[in-house]
Amino acid sequence: EPEVTQTPSHQVTQMGQEVILRCVPISNHLYFYWYRQILGQKVEFLVSFYNNEISEKSEIFDDQFSVERPDGSNFTLKIRSTKLEDSAMYFCASSELPSGANNEQFFGPGTRLTVL
Amino acid sequence: GNSVTQMEGPVTLSEEAFLTINCTYTATGYPSLFWYVQYPGEGLQLLLKATKADDKGSNKGFEATYRKETTSFHLEKGSVQVSDSAVYFCALSDSNYQLIWGAGTKLIIKP
């Protein structure tokens, strides 16, 4: 069964460093998303991406964040200068059609980012 | 704005007990409603969904009915197992591209 994959599973970085989190969405999906979950808190939407551009982003997704689809398979989230409060589990998701059209978002297993 | 409210956990039950996890929502328009489950150390998995009023989603013995009049989507299971121990998230999807999540309810099932 096709699945969303994410690498690495755990990333430890120093405050102020850049990190890139990688995701490989399901191959025939066209819509891609990033969410984050700070330990013990609710899942929060960061950004959605379609046709090589951002469709929607939340207040969390400020200038320190960027997303890219550098090739036909990868979807990346970059944090330019990490802060302690960026420590969280980051989930990538993809869907065949927009979620507003009742299509399921399939989630990857997540990357746990720890900023020291 | 749109929001989802879930009952606080943890919810602790004995095996074979009846489960209800409450979820209510606030939304404009006609959202789709979802329950996701997160097993220890794993990612988010869709458990069930309902796309319009009075729809019932079901999977693995779990059920939830989309109630527009009470703006609710409560999760139920008639007889829980130890393997159901996980965190359960209620979420909605409106006309935008994002899922809006409840805080999650941790379920602990004791043998």
Side-chain angles (χ1 to χ4, degrees), chain B residues 34-64:
Chain B
F34 306 84
W35 277 100
Y36 279 82
V37 59
Q38 186 178 30
Y39 296 103
E42 298 186 15
L44 297 159
Q45 301 175 28
L46 179 67
L47 180 60
L48 53 84
K49 70 176 183 181
T51 59
K52 61 183 187 295
D54 300 325
D55 266 4
K56 178 186 283 188
S58 61
N59 186 26
K60 299 181 181 179
F62 290 90
E63 292 183 341

Side-chain angles (χ1 to χ4, degrees), chain A residues 26 30 32 44-45 49 73 92 100 109:
Chain A
I26 294 173
L30 301 176
F32 314 116
E44 300 172 294
F45 169 78
F49 190 86
S73 60
C92 173

Side-chain angles (χ1 to χ4, degrees), chain B residues 17-79:
Chain B
F18 184 86
L19 167 71
T20 301
I21 300 178
N22 289 338
C23 171
T24 57
Y25 67 90
T26 302
T28 54
Y30 304 96
S32 295
L33 301 173
F34 306 84
W35 277 100
Y36 279 82
V37 59
Q38 186 178 30
Y39 296 103
E42 298 186 15
L44 297 159
Q45 301 175 28
L46 179 67
L47 180 60
L48 53 84
K49 70 176 183 181
T51 59
K52 61 183 187 295
D54 300 325
D55 266 4
K56 178 186 283 188
S58 61
N59 186 26
K60 299 181 181 179
F62 290 90
E63 292 183 341
T65 301
Y66 189 144
R67 301 282 188 203
K68 191 167 180 290
E69 63 275 13
T70 55
T71 61
S72 65
F73 192 55
H74 304 322
L75 182 69
E76 296 181 336
K77 186 173 185 182
S79 176

Side-chain angles (χ1 to χ4, degrees), chain A residues 33 35 56 99-100 102 104, chain B residues 32 49 93-94 97-99:
Chain A
Y33 314 84
Y35 294 83
E56 191 176 10
S99 61
N102 302 327
E104 178 183 348
Chain B
S32 295
K49 70 176 183 181
S93 171
D94 57 16
Y97 295 108
Q98 60 177 286
L99 284 171

Side-chain angles (χ1 to χ4, degrees), chain A residues 1 18 26 57 59-60 81 94 103:
Chain A
E1 186 175 336
E18 174 184 286
I26 294 173
K57 60 183 181 179
E59 292 177 353
I60 303 167
S81 178
S94 70
N103 278 272

Side-chain angles (χ1 to χ4, degrees), chain B residues 72-111:
Chain B
S72 65
F73 192 55
H74 304 322
L75 182 69
E76 296 181 336
K77 186 173 185 182
S79 176
V80 292
Q81 306 299 313
V82 172
S83 57
D84 294 326
S85 297
V87 181
Y88 291 81
F89 292 92
C90 185
L92 71 81
S93 171
D94 57 16
S95 56
N96 297 319
Y97 295 108
Q98 60 177 286
L99 284 171
I100 296 168
W101 300 79
T105 302
K106 185 173 184 178
L107 175 64
I108 301 169
I109 307 299
K110 296 187 173 179

